Amino acid sequence: MKKLDIIIVILAVVLCAVLLVLNFSGGVLETGNWGLSFQVEGQPPAGPVSPSELQKFDGYYLGNPEEKTIYLTFDSGYENGCTAQILDVLKKHKVPATFFLVGNYIEQNADLVRRMVDEGHIVGNHTMHHPDMSKLSDFDAFSKELNDLAALYKETTGQEIQKFYRPPQGIYSQENLEMAQKLGYKTIFWSLAYADWDNNKQPSHDFAMEKLTSRIHNGAIVLLHSTSKTNAEILDEILTKWEEMGYKFGTLNDLTSKSPAPAV
């Protein structure tokens, strides 16, 4: 075999090895749906991208797994009559949360948005129209979704939006991560969620409590939907349970101001 052929074979083998490492150890994918693999009860799950790789793009799905801290977030695509109750419970427990809002939510529920802000919660950017952002390869189109929402938020509250972004449906691409970073946003995924979004198939009390207690873990970024009647009904109980388990609650500002979390 010629020397050049040997070099080509070696390079091909190396390339295959690199691709395998990326696929199985959490390398950033070009396009993907955010998903989790819970391998050990009570321990952080593995994501499709490792925490250390994600943080290169100012992205997060997990806090420090050495700290018993929970970062509570809600996705709010529309109002379903549950948010006031959720805010009441958060106030009772003195728990901070982040509400990722879309444009129509702010337009139709200005008083609730202002209440979120007045009670010390963060409002994050869930885009103006909730599209599949991975299909927006044009920077101007991508930035318009975030900028229009930010402008509406300022018009409604008089404040600049804090630059935390959650991709609709958890669909992302590396290009999107880079564009959000360019706009100054930190992209926030999650390390714990459950099937709570379908109003016609709401989980039972027992199912919800089991999922949210058995899978809670240090540094968890929890995603709940504020449209869920089950979430509104169990929130007082689940916050009490987590507190009894020794967890405290942090903000996304706390999360992103700390040193990078160890890789999982």
Side-chain angles (χ1 to χ4, degrees):
M1 183 179 287
K2 296 181 180 179
K3 186 176 181 180
L4 180 59
D5 293 334
I6 294 173
I7 293 173
I8 291 173
V9 170
I10 293 173
L11 289 175
V13 170
V14 170
L15 178 59
C16 289
V18 169
L19 291 174
L20 284 172
V21 169
L22 288 175
N23 283 332
F24 292 102
S25 66
V28 174
L29 306 175
E30 283 303 309
T31 301
N33 295 316
W34 191 255
L36 300 166
S37 173
F38 286 87
Q39 299 169 356
V40 180
E41 184 172 304
Q43 294 297 313
V49 183
S50 71
S52 58
E53 185 67 24
L54 200 57
Q55 285 180 18
K56 294 177 183 178
F57 306 93
D58 291 326
Y60 299 80
Y61 85 90
L62 180 69
N64 192 331
E66 303 299 322
E67 297 180 357
K68 290 186 73 69
T69 303
I70 294 170
Y71 305 93
L72 185 59
T73 71
F74 293 88
D75 281 6
S76 305
Y78 59 95
E79 180 52 38
N80 196 36
C82 301
T83 304
Q85 182 180 351
I86 288 170
L87 288 169
D88 288 343
V89 174
L90 294 174
K91 186 174 184 179
K92 173 185 175 181
H93 286 262
K94 299 180 180 179
V95 168
T98 297
F99 290 84
F100 285 97
L101 306 182
V102 297
N104 72 283
Y105 188 97
I106 297 177
E107 291 169 343
Q108 297 173 15
N109 304 281
D111 288 344
L112 280 172
V113 176
R114 286 189 284 265
R115 181 182 171 187
M116 294 170 188
V117 177
D118 290 344
E119 295 183 1
H121 303 296
I122 293 172
V123 169
N125 199 321
H126 204 32
T127 74
M128 189 68 185
H129 300 104
H130 203 264
D132 178 350
M133 295 291 278
S134 69
K135 294 181 179 178
L136 301 183
S137 58
D138 178 73
F139 180 74
D140 289 341
F142 181 92
S143 60
K144 182 173 173 57
E145 278 292 330
L146 274 65
N147 291 340
D148 285 357
L149 190 285
L152 177 60
Y153 174 82
K154 185 174 182 180
E155 178 184 331
T156 303
T157 66
Q159 299 185 22
E160 299 289 343
I161 198 167
Q162 296 195 51
K163 289 198 168 183
F164 297 107
Y165 159 62
R166 174 163 285 161
Q169 303 176 66
I171 302 174
Y172 71 98
S173 68
Q174 180 168 322
E175 186 178 26
N176 284 174
L177 294 173
E178 292 169 345
M179 289 191 287
Q181 185 180 44
K182 185 176 180 180
L183 290 168
Y185 278 88
K186 295 176 173 62
T187 300
I188 308 296
F189 293 99
W190 58 90
S191 63
L192 176 57
Y194 78 117
D196 63 347
W197 56 84
D198 188 341
N199 290 326
N200 296 318
K201 295 181 180 179
Q202 278 294 284
S204 68
H205 169 281
D206 290 346
F207 178 87
M209 289 297 296
E210 191 280 328
K211 288 295 183 183
L212 294 174
T213 54
S214 67
R215 290 187 170 183
I216 196 63
H217 51 271
N218 290 0
I221 299 178
V222 178
L223 161 60
L224 301 176
H225 284 84
S226 65
T227 54
S228 167
K229 295 183 182 300
T230 298
N231 287 341
E233 291 168 359
I234 71 165
L235 188 60
D236 190 10
E237 185 178 353
I238 193 62
L239 292 182
T240 299
K241 181 64 176 178
W242 285 338
E243 289 164 347
E244 291 172 351
M245 294 170 73
Y247 287 99
K248 61 181 181 178
F249 297 87
T251 69
L252 293 186
N253 285 317
D254 298 331
L255 169 72
T256 57
S257 65
K258 293 181 178 181
S259 300
V264 173

